[in-house]
Amino acid sequence: MDGEWRSAASGATREILDPADAKPFAVIAEGGEADVDAAVAAARRAFDEGSWPGTPVAERAALLRRVADLLVRDREKIGLIESRDAGKTVEEGRVDVDCVADAFRYFADLVVGEGGGRVVDAGSDEIHSVVVHEPVGVCSLITPWNYPLLQASWKVAPALAAGNTFVIKPSEITPLTTVILVELLAEAGLPAGVANIVTGPGHTVGARMAEHPDVDLVSFTGGLVSGTKVAQAAAADVKKIALELGGKNPNVVFADACDTAEGFDTAVDQALNAAFIHSGQVCSAGGRLIVEESVRERFVAELARRAEKIRLGRGTEDGVECGPLVSAQQRDKTEYYVASALAEGAVLRCGGKRPEPSDVRPEGGYFYEPTVLDRCHREMRAVREEVFGPVLTVETFRTEDEAVALANDTEYGLAGAVWTADAGRARRVAGRLRHGTVWINDFHPYLPQAEWGGFGKSGVGRELGPAGLAEYRETKHVYQNLAPKPVRWFAG
Ligand code: NAD
C-alpha cells in the first residue's frame, strides 16, 4: 500500500494451499481492518492530492498498455501460479493472462477514442452546455477465487482508465496473481497510492472495505450471500455499487440442433465444455441442460460417455483436462447437492463421487468426478441453486414455450444458451431469455467490448464494454452562461 509492501499490522499470515494436494505452497500476509484503513487513507490521498485523476487520458491509456505488455512478458509465470492457486489447468491459466491483457488494451483504446465531453444544445448561443465524465474517487474492489486475475482486471483496468484510485482485495484462498498484478502496475509507472492491495478474509477486510466512509464505490464479484452483505454495508453511505454475483445458467438444446452427426457432436461437445470447464467453478457454467425430450436419451448417453473420460489431475501436468475443486468446502458443497438431487429422484448417469485414489494424482487433492444427473426437475435444489462444481443436471421440454419458461425459471439471470438449426427460433428464444448474456449455438465466449453482467439476482451493473467503464465514473453537467443577466423572478 502507498507504494510499499508491508506485513499485516497484526503480523498475521496465512498459508495458501495447492488444491491438488491440499499442501501449503505459499504464505501471505493476513490483513485486517487496520490495514484496510491505512490502504484507504493512501488511496484517498492519491485521489485528493495526487496526479493520477488529472493525468491526461492518453498517458493513462499508455500505462494500461504497458501493463498489458508486462502481463504478456510474464505469461508463463503468471499462468503457472494461477494454475496452482486456483486448481485450473496451466493452459487455462495462460489463456486467463491473455484475456487480462486484452481487457487492459480494450479500456486503454476506449478512453482514448472517446474525445472530450458531450456538448448539449441548450437552445441558445449564449449558453455553453457540456456533459463530462469524472472519476468516482476511491474504489473498493473485491474479487472471487475462480478467476482471480481475470475478475481483478475487469475492475482494475476501467477503474484506472477512468482516473480512480483503489484498494483491491482478492479472495483469501487465491490471492497470488493479484499481488503480481499490483507489482506490474508499479513497474509500469503507476504513482504510489493509486493501487493498494490488502490480502485477508471477507468478513473482516472485505466488510471494512464495503463500509469504509472514505470509499466512494464498491465493486464486488462473488456469491449472492456476500454480495447482499456488501450492498447493505455500502448503502449506509449511499456509495455507488457494482455487483457481479452468481448464475444458474440454462443450456437449451432443441432436437433440430442434433439432426446431423456434426450438429449432434458439436452440441454435446459444447454442453460438456459448458458444464465442466474449470470443474464447473464458473459463474456462467452451463450446469443446467434443458434438452428436447425426443433427443434426451441419445444426448445424455453421449454426454455421460464423454464426461467419464475427462482426465482429472494437477492442472500443471500434461494431459490433465480438469483440476481439483478449489477447497474442501467447495467439494463438500458439491457432494451435498449431488446427494440432495439423488434423494429427490435424480438418476445418476456418471460420476457422483470422489475418484478412487488410484485413478488420480496427486493424492489428497479436492477432486470430484464430472457428474451427470438425469431426470431432474425445477424444484430440486441442485437445479435452483448454484453448485459451483462439476455437476450437470438434465431437464426436458416438448415445446418452445416450455423451454423458455424453464430457462427463465431462476432467481439468477447471468447467462444462457440456445442450440437450434432454425434461425428464426434462435432469434425468438434469445429475445425471450432473461439473462445478461445469451449464446446462440455456442457457450462461454465473451468479448471485452461487450457488457457482462446479470439480470435478477446475478447482480447490479455491468463489467466490460462502455458500461463497464461508466461504472467508474461520475457524470457532470457543466452549464455556462456566456451572457449572464438578472432573472427577476423575485420582484423586490
Ligand atoms: P464469495 O462471495 O465467497 O467471495 C467473494 C469475495 O468476497 C472474496 O474476496 C471474499 O473474501 C469476499 N467476501 C466474503 N464475504 C464478504 C463480506 N461480508 N464483505 C465483503 N467481502 C466479502 O465468492 P467466492 O466463493 O469467492 O466466488 C464464487 C462466487 O462468485 C460464485 O457465486 C460465482 O458465481 C461468483 N462469480 C461471479 C462472476 C460474475 O461475473 N458474475 C464471476 C466470477 C465469480
Tab-separated table of all heavy atoms in Angstrom, residues 15-25 84 314 324-328 331 362-367:
chain	number	residue	atom	x	y	z
A	15	GLU	N	-1.372	-19.541	5.232
A	15	GLU	CA	-0.781	-20.475	4.268
A	15	GLU	C	-1.748	-20.642	3.099
A	15	GLU	O	-2.950	-20.807	3.304
A	15	GLU	CB	-0.546	-21.834	4.913
A	15	GLU	CG	0.604	-21.836	5.887
A	15	GLU	CD	0.834	-23.212	6.483
A	15	GLU	OE1	-0.146	-23.971	6.619
A	15	GLU	OE2	2.000	-23.524	6.799
A	16	ILE	N	-1.211	-20.588	1.897
A	16	ILE	CA	-2.032	-20.810	0.702
A	16	ILE	C	-1.846	-22.258	0.272
A	16	ILE	O	-0.715	-22.720	0.072
A	16	ILE	CB	-1.602	-19.843	-0.423
A	16	ILE	CG1	-1.727	-18.381	0.047
A	16	ILE	CG2	-2.421	-20.085	-1.683
A	16	ILE	CD1	-3.106	-17.952	0.474
A	17	LEU	N	-2.981	-22.977	0.121
A	17	LEU	CA	-2.924	-24.400	-0.194
A	17	LEU	C	-3.010	-24.629	-1.696
A	17	LEU	O	-3.723	-23.924	-2.405
A	17	LEU	CB	-4.087	-25.143	0.466
A	17	LEU	CG	-4.234	-25.032	1.985
A	17	LEU	CD1	-5.371	-25.930	2.463
A	17	LEU	CD2	-2.928	-25.411	2.691
A	18	ASP	N	-2.287	-25.639	-2.164
A	18	ASP	CA	-2.451	-26.123	-3.537
A	18	ASP	C	-3.613	-27.114	-3.505
A	18	ASP	O	-3.526	-28.149	-2.844
A	18	ASP	CB	-1.148	-26.815	-3.971
A	18	ASP	CG	-1.221	-27.338	-5.392
A	18	ASP	OD1	-2.355	-27.564	-5.889
A	18	ASP	OD2	-0.166	-27.544	-5.999
A	19	PRO	N	-4.730	-26.801	-4.184
A	19	PRO	CA	-5.895	-27.686	-4.060
A	19	PRO	C	-5.673	-29.081	-4.650
A	19	PRO	O	-6.454	-29.984	-4.383
A	19	PRO	CB	-6.994	-26.941	-4.822
A	19	PRO	CG	-6.298	-25.939	-5.674
A	19	PRO	CD	-4.993	-25.634	-5.033
A	20	ALA	N	-4.582	-29.257	-5.415
A	20	ALA	CA	-4.336	-30.581	-5.992
A	20	ALA	C	-3.788	-31.561	-4.963
A	20	ALA	O	-3.921	-32.775	-5.143
A	20	ALA	CB	-3.375	-30.471	-7.180
A	21	ASP	N	-3.153	-31.060	-3.905
A	21	ASP	CA	-2.666	-31.990	-2.874
A	21	ASP	C	-2.950	-31.503	-1.454
A	21	ASP	O	-2.528	-32.134	-0.476
A	21	ASP	CB	-1.162	-32.266	-3.051
A	21	ASP	CG	-0.317	-30.999	-2.979
A	21	ASP	OD1	-0.845	-29.962	-2.533
A	21	ASP	OD2	0.858	-31.047	-3.380
A	22	ALA	N	-3.654	-30.367	-1.356
A	22	ALA	CA	-4.034	-29.785	-0.052
A	22	ALA	C	-2.815	-29.422	0.795
A	22	ALA	O	-2.919	-29.337	2.019
A	22	ALA	CB	-4.978	-30.719	0.711
A	23	LYS	N	-1.659	-29.200	0.144
A	23	LYS	CA	-0.459	-28.823	0.909
A	23	LYS	C	-0.151	-27.348	0.685
A	23	LYS	O	-0.349	-26.826	-0.418
A	23	LYS	CB	0.733	-29.651	0.438
A	23	LYS	CG	0.579	-31.126	0.762
A	23	LYS	CD	1.916	-31.836	0.629
A	23	LYS	CE	1.767	-33.302	1.024
A	23	LYS	NZ	2.012	-34.215	-0.044
A	24	PRO	N	0.381	-26.662	1.731
A	24	PRO	CA	0.714	-25.243	1.557
A	24	PRO	C	1.855	-25.052	0.573
A	24	PRO	O	2.787	-25.862	0.558
A	24	PRO	CB	1.134	-24.801	2.963
A	24	PRO	CG	1.229	-26.009	3.801
A	24	PRO	CD	0.644	-27.168	3.071
A	25	PHE	N	1.746	-24.027	-0.274
A	25	PHE	CA	2.868	-23.746	-1.182
A	25	PHE	C	3.241	-22.270	-1.183
A	25	PHE	O	4.150	-21.849	-1.891
A	25	PHE	CB	2.570	-24.246	-2.603
A	25	PHE	CG	1.627	-23.381	-3.393
A	25	PHE	CD1	2.097	-22.584	-4.421
A	25	PHE	CD2	0.277	-23.380	-3.117
A	25	PHE	CE1	1.239	-21.785	-5.162
A	25	PHE	CE2	-0.596	-22.584	-3.849
A	25	PHE	CZ	-0.115	-21.790	-4.868
A	84	ARG	N	-1.723	-23.265	-9.981
A	84	ARG	CA	-1.516	-23.880	-8.664
A	84	ARG	C	-2.450	-23.282	-7.615
A	84	ARG	O	-2.929	-23.986	-6.724
A	84	ARG	CB	-0.068	-23.692	-8.211
A	84	ARG	CG	0.856	-24.555	-9.010
A	84	ARG	CD	2.111	-24.873	-8.259
A	84	ARG	NE	1.914	-25.769	-7.134
A	84	ARG	CZ	2.878	-26.080	-6.276
A	84	ARG	NH1	4.072	-25.556	-6.430
A	84	ARG	NH2	2.659	-26.900	-5.271
A	314	ARG	N	-3.513	-32.818	-11.366
A	314	ARG	CA	-2.945	-31.499	-11.088
A	314	ARG	C	-2.893	-30.716	-12.390
A	314	ARG	O	-2.434	-31.237	-13.419
A	314	ARG	CB	-1.540	-31.664	-10.502
A	314	ARG	CG	-0.997	-30.382	-9.888
A	314	ARG	CD	0.493	-30.453	-9.699
A	314	ARG	NE	0.940	-31.246	-8.570
A	314	ARG	CZ	0.915	-30.857	-7.293
A	314	ARG	NH1	0.443	-29.683	-6.971
A	314	ARG	NH2	1.365	-31.642	-6.338
A	324	PRO	N	-8.611	-30.016	-9.604
A	324	PRO	CA	-9.463	-30.276	-8.440
A	324	PRO	C	-10.428	-29.115	-8.223
A	324	PRO	O	-10.298	-28.069	-8.861
A	324	PRO	CB	-8.441	-30.315	-7.299
A	324	PRO	CG	-7.363	-29.369	-7.767
A	324	PRO	CD	-7.262	-29.541	-9.254
A	325	LEU	N	-11.349	-29.298	-7.289
A	325	LEU	CA	-12.107	-28.151	-6.799
A	325	LEU	C	-11.171	-27.320	-5.936
A	325	LEU	O	-10.124	-27.787	-5.498
A	325	LEU	CB	-13.327	-28.630	-6.013
A	325	LEU	CG	-14.324	-29.415	-6.862
A	325	LEU	CD1	-15.534	-29.820	-6.045
A	325	LEU	CD2	-14.763	-28.610	-8.062
A	326	VAL	N	-11.553	-26.079	-5.682
A	326	VAL	CA	-10.594	-25.152	-5.077
A	326	VAL	C	-10.359	-25.424	-3.588
A	326	VAL	O	-9.299	-25.082	-3.060
A	326	VAL	CB	-11.040	-23.694	-5.299
A	326	VAL	CG1	-12.156	-23.313	-4.337
A	326	VAL	CG2	-9.887	-22.727	-5.184
A	327	SER	N	-11.311	-26.063	-2.927
A	327	SER	CA	-11.173	-26.250	-1.474
A	327	SER	C	-12.018	-27.439	-1.027
A	327	SER	O	-12.921	-27.896	-1.737
A	327	SER	CB	-11.654	-24.990	-0.743
A	327	SER	OG	-13.034	-24.802	-0.989
A	328	ALA	N	-11.735	-27.870	0.195
A	328	ALA	CA	-12.532	-28.956	0.780
A	328	ALA	C	-13.995	-28.506	0.902
A	328	ALA	O	-14.923	-29.280	0.642
A	328	ALA	CB	-11.973	-29.316	2.153
A	331	ARG	N	-15.805	-28.871	-2.341
A	331	ARG	CA	-16.146	-30.269	-2.642
A	331	ARG	C	-17.292	-30.749	-1.755
A	331	ARG	O	-18.188	-31.455	-2.227
A	331	ARG	CB	-14.920	-31.173	-2.479
A	331	ARG	CG	-15.238	-32.592	-2.911
A	331	ARG	CD	-14.020	-33.453	-3.021
A	331	ARG	NE	-13.329	-33.576	-1.747
A	331	ARG	CZ	-12.209	-34.253	-1.578
A	331	ARG	NH1	-11.654	-34.866	-2.613
A	331	ARG	NH2	-11.630	-34.329	-0.401
A	362	PRO	N	-2.129	-35.799	-7.831
A	362	PRO	CA	-1.580	-36.409	-6.613
A	362	PRO	C	-2.686	-36.810	-5.645
A	362	PRO	O	-3.856	-36.539	-5.875
A	362	PRO	CB	-0.733	-35.271	-6.045
A	362	PRO	CG	-1.383	-34.029	-6.534
A	362	PRO	CD	-1.981	-34.347	-7.850
A	363	GLU	N	-2.287	-37.421	-4.553
A	363	GLU	CA	-3.263	-37.803	-3.534
A	363	GLU	C	-3.595	-36.610	-2.653
A	363	GLU	O	-2.802	-35.687	-2.533
A	363	GLU	CB	-2.685	-38.919	-2.662
A	363	GLU	CG	-2.709	-40.264	-3.357
A	363	GLU	CD	-2.157	-41.364	-2.478
A	363	GLU	OE1	-2.153	-41.184	-1.241
A	363	GLU	OE2	-1.729	-42.374	-3.032
A	364	GLY	N	-4.762	-36.665	-2.053
A	364	GLY	CA	-5.099	-35.642	-1.042
A	364	GLY	C	-5.764	-34.406	-1.612
A	364	GLY	O	-6.187	-33.535	-0.868
A	365	GLY	N	-5.863	-34.297	-2.957
A	365	GLY	CA	-6.469	-33.107	-3.564
A	365	GLY	C	-7.986	-33.165	-3.491
A	365	GLY	O	-8.574	-34.204	-3.196
A	366	TYR	N	-8.596	-32.026	-3.801
A	366	TYR	CA	-10.058	-31.918	-3.670
A	366	TYR	C	-10.760	-32.299	-4.983
A	366	TYR	O	-11.502	-31.509	-5.553
A	366	TYR	CB	-10.434	-30.493	-3.275
A	366	TYR	CG	-9.673	-29.974	-2.073
A	366	TYR	CD1	-8.910	-28.817	-2.170
A	366	TYR	CD2	-9.715	-30.644	-0.851
A	366	TYR	CE1	-8.206	-28.338	-1.069
A	366	TYR	CE2	-9.014	-30.173	0.252
A	366	TYR	CZ	-8.262	-29.024	0.139
A	366	TYR	OH	-7.566	-28.562	1.220
A	367	PHE	N	-10.483	-33.511	-5.449
A	367	PHE	CA	-11.043	-33.912	-6.747
A	367	PHE	C	-12.469	-34.434	-6.594
A	367	PHE	O	-12.844	-34.987	-5.556
A	367	PHE	CB	-10.152	-34.984	-7.385
A	367	PHE	CG	-8.798	-34.461	-7.766
A	367	PHE	CD1	-7.696	-34.654	-6.935
A	367	PHE	CD2	-8.637	-33.742	-8.942
A	367	PHE	CE1	-6.456	-34.145	-7.276
A	367	PHE	CE2	-7.387	-33.235	-9.286
A	367	PHE	CZ	-6.299	-33.435	-8.447
